[in-house]
Amino acid sequence: MNLAMIIYTLGWVVKVEGAGLLLPCLIAGVYREKEGLVYLICALVFMTLGFFMTRRKPDNTEIYVKEGMVTVAGSWLVLSVIGAVPFLATGEFTHVIDAFFEIVSGFTTTGASIRDNVENLCHATLFWRSFSHWIGGMGVLVFILMLVPVKSGSRMNLMRAESPGYDVSKFVPKVRDSATVLYRIYIALTLLQIVILLISGMYWFDSLCITFGSAGTGGFAVLNSSCASYTPAQQVIITVFMALFGCNFAFYYLIITKRVFEAFKMEEIRTYIGILIAAALVIAANIYYLHHSVGETLRESFFQTVSIMTTTGYTTADFNAWPALSKTVLVILMCIGACAGSTGGGMKVSRLIVCMKENRRTLKSYIHPRGVFKIRMDGRPLEENMIDTINLYMILYIGIFALSVLLLSLNEFSFETNFSAVAATINNIGPGLDQVGPTANYAGFTVFSKLILIFDMLAGRLELFPMLFLLYPKTWRHNTWS
């Protein structure tokens, strides 16, 4: 393993995050908050540390699959440790695990919080929490791929390890150019939502933070009521953009390159839209008696359906009080998640499609034992090793999910609480049911349980494999410093 190159890449992570910490300083300056000095000191310290870590480029800049997995997992751990330091230094979080839980929840775009009153936090911290969603949504290494001088194959290994979904396709021949295209789309959609929210009359600080959460499909809000206090028009705007950021970004690339017909032929996009609409209508019919207003019912059902399926986690209602059918639909959506190649979490719609096709192929093979059947996505046959990887992912997902629920049961909380807490963290959603519902938080869990949920958030955001590689003993054999 090329440890020198891993440390060099981690140095870039430290340096870029240190620069990112300057933004909360500006917010603190606007509101004249003394916490801005803490963020400034942290920024200078980490930028300096990152500078020394990247001062000398290794002779061997090759990053193979194993190095890619370890680098990505290590980067997210380093990112979270550094991000938690200002929380502790300002005194707004007094326990290390709580601060670590909060920032991991931010960077993994989960939105599960320890705080019961976020309005007590300073504006700099509120901004940093929300901005961590935006950083984690697209992935910090996707951004660094545009900066770090490594070979194209190494960039692809990093991109595959960090980007959500069963497959990572290059939009253009060079991986660096693909990363640039991704960020251009990401920034354009982000700016568009900020502008529209400002036009709607939303306060500028709220517009920034809510947009960062929508773009990264996180869920940290600046109000205790999440999005319930905003106007109906603003809630509709947020709903639309949550749905847009839950789409595969290849969809936007095809539209930009004037291949609109090809974009709307994507099986994943059509299935994603179909599930969203069907689930929202089922929930609307189930909760109509709560409002007796078609408009209000549809707005509330579509907001929560989109928020949960895209794994954003914003709320406008306490869905913990909804009927069992609606809550069951939401839990199913938690597991399905958004599209591959989006900023959303969950298993991904594409994996669901492939698994359904694999089941159908298996049944057909029983009927026609000598038949040869290929699984296709968007008209293209999938390679068997990719299907095997998806099957392995599903097995690991179920195994980690079941083990996490088992370990959380030591808290003596209800099964609904433990199950939904794991579902909400491993799928990077945030709010669950019962004692971790929309009006509650995760403060009641023990330190051990919080560590389990932290692992689930990181594993879920990184598609399981990088975190498992990091913990696998054989990964660390035959290391080199070249």
Side-chain angles (χ1 to χ4, degrees):
M1 185 182 294
N2 190 350
L3 292 176
M5 190 57 198
I6 291 174
I7 293 173
Y8 179 74
T9 308
L10 293 180
W12 273 97
V13 173
V14 174
K15 188 159 56 176
V16 169
E17 185 173 10
L21 284 167
L22 293 173
L23 293 177
C25 300
L26 298 176
I27 298 298
V30 172
Y31 288 98
R32 301 180 183 277
E33 295 173 334
K34 65 181 186 301
E35 288 83 1
L37 180 61
V38 173
Y39 280 90
L40 178 60
I41 294 171
C42 290
L44 295 175
V45 168
F46 292 122
M47 281 194 293
T48 303
L49 177 60
F51 170 77
F52 283 109
M53 291 175 70
T54 58
R55 186 172 56 176
R56 180 182 176 276
K57 186 175 74 172
D59 297 328
N60 178 13
T61 60
E62 194 72 53
I63 296 177
Y64 296 102
V65 174
K66 183 169 70 171
E67 282 91 348
M69 292 288 184
V70 172
T71 301
V72 167
S75 295
W76 281 74
L77 286 172
V78 168
L79 193 73
S80 300
V81 169
I82 291 174
V85 171
F87 287 171
L88 294 167
T90 59
E92 292 176 298
F93 289 81
T94 56
H95 298 288
V96 173
I97 297 300
D98 286 354
F100 191 59
F101 183 101
E102 195 82 5
I103 200 62
V104 168
S105 181
F107 283 123
T108 59
T109 73
T110 304
S113 182
I114 295 295
R115 301 287 302 214
D116 58 354
N117 186 357
V118 298
E119 294 177 25
N120 284 342
L121 298 173
C122 69
H123 288 85
T125 296
L126 286 173
F127 179 88
W128 181 236
R129 288 167 81 244
S130 296
F131 189 60
S132 66
H133 283 331
W134 194 84
I135 296 172
M138 186 57 65
V140 65
L141 284 181
V142 172
F143 175 73
I144 290 176
L145 284 175
M146 299 183 290
L147 306 174
V148 178
V150 295
K151 297 178 181 178
S152 181
S154 299
R155 288 195 181 96
M156 197 61 194
N157 288 330
L158 287 173
M159 196 169 181
R160 282 200 179 104
E162 184 179 49
S163 298
Y166 72 98
D167 184 29
V168 176
S169 300
K170 291 189 288 185
F171 298 139
V172 289
K174 294 183 178 180
V175 179
R176 176 180 288 184
D177 293 339
S178 294
T180 303
V181 170
L182 281 172
Y183 257 95
R184 283 178 178 172
I185 296 171
Y186 193 46
I187 292 171
L189 285 173
T190 300
L191 292 175
L192 181 62
Q193 183 178 355
I194 291 172
V195 170
I196 294 176
L197 287 176
L198 288 173
I199 293 173
S200 74
M202 184 179 288
Y203 183 56
W204 70 269
F205 182 76
D206 293 51
S207 298
L208 287 176
C209 293
I210 291 299
T211 297
F212 290 150
S214 301
T217 59
F220 283 151
V222 296
L223 301 175
N224 292 330
S225 60
S226 190
C227 292
S229 300
Y230 299 127
T231 66
Q234 290 165 350
Q235 292 176 6
V236 171
I237 293 168
I238 296 168
T239 302
V240 171
F241 276 94
M242 286 191 297
L244 290 175
F245 282 108
C247 290
N248 191 323
F249 275 44
F251 173 74
Y252 301 120
Y253 179 74
L254 290 173
I255 291 177
I256 292 170
T257 53
K258 299 180 180 179
R259 290 181 281 174
V260 178
F261 181 72
E262 187 179 345
F264 282 96
K265 278 187 66 178
M266 291 177 65
E267 289 183 60
E268 186 177 31
I269 293 295
R270 290 187 280 117
T271 305
Y272 168 69
I273 295 172
I275 293 173
L276 277 179
I277 293 174
L281 292 177
V282 169
I283 291 175
N286 192 228
I287 67 171
Y288 176 74
Y289 76 95
L290 295 173
H291 303 290
H292 299 290
S293 168
V294 174
E296 188 176 350
T297 300
L298 287 174
R299 187 178 72 251
E300 189 172 285
S301 64
F302 268 93
F303 187 99
Q304 291 308 150
T305 299
V306 172
S307 178
I308 293 300
M309 185 168 181
T310 61
T311 70
T312 306
Y314 285 141
T315 60
T316 56
D318 181 10
F319 55 77
N320 195 44
W322 283 0
L325 174 62
S326 295
K327 290 193 289 186
T328 302
V329 171
L330 291 180
V331 171
I332 293 172
L333 294 179
M334 285 182 185
C335 296
I336 295 174
C339 296
S342 72
T343 60
M347 292 188 294
K348 305 293 183 301
V349 174
S350 57
R351 284 198 181 95
L352 176 66
I353 295 173
V354 173
C355 286
M356 295 297 290
K357 290 186 176 184
E358 171 70 358
N359 290 336
R360 186 173 62 183
R361 181 174 71 166
T362 302
L363 291 174
K364 287 173 68 176
S365 67
Y366 285 135
I367 299 172
H368 305 285
R370 296 184 180 181
V372 178
F373 308 102
K374 295 291 291 184
I375 295 177
R376 297 176 179 271
M377 278 286 286
D378 300 323
R380 297 189 299 270
L382 294 181
E383 297 178 3
E384 290 300 319
N385 65 342
M386 185 179 294
I387 297 171
D388 292 340
T389 301
I390 292 173
N391 292 333
L392 175 60
Y393 172 89
M394 299 300 292
I395 293 170
L396 291 173
Y397 177 90
I398 294 171
I400 293 173
F401 195 115
L403 181 60
S404 297
V405 173
L406 179 65
L407 294 175
L408 253 64
S409 66
L410 298 173
N411 283 281
E412 297 298 329
F413 287 159
S414 68
F415 175 76
E416 188 176 31
T417 298
N418 295 330
F419 185 90
S420 64
V422 173
T425 50
I426 198 170
N427 295 307
N428 306 131
I429 294 160
L433 300 174
D434 200 9
Q435 290 172 267
V436 291
T439 60
N441 57 64
Y442 288 73
F445 285 104
T446 63
V447 170
F448 174 74
S449 295
K450 288 173 184 174
L451 290 173
I452 296 298
L453 296 175
I454 286 171
F455 174 83
D456 287 344
M457 287 189 281
L458 288 167
R461 172 58 183 83
L462 299 178
E463 307 279 297
L464 308 183
F465 295 110
M467 291 301 294
L468 295 179
F469 260 86
L470 194 67
L471 299 175
Y472 188 49
K474 290 185 179 181
T475 300
W476 301 99
R477 294 181 183 176
H478 308 297
N479 298 329
T480 66
W481 289 89
S482 58

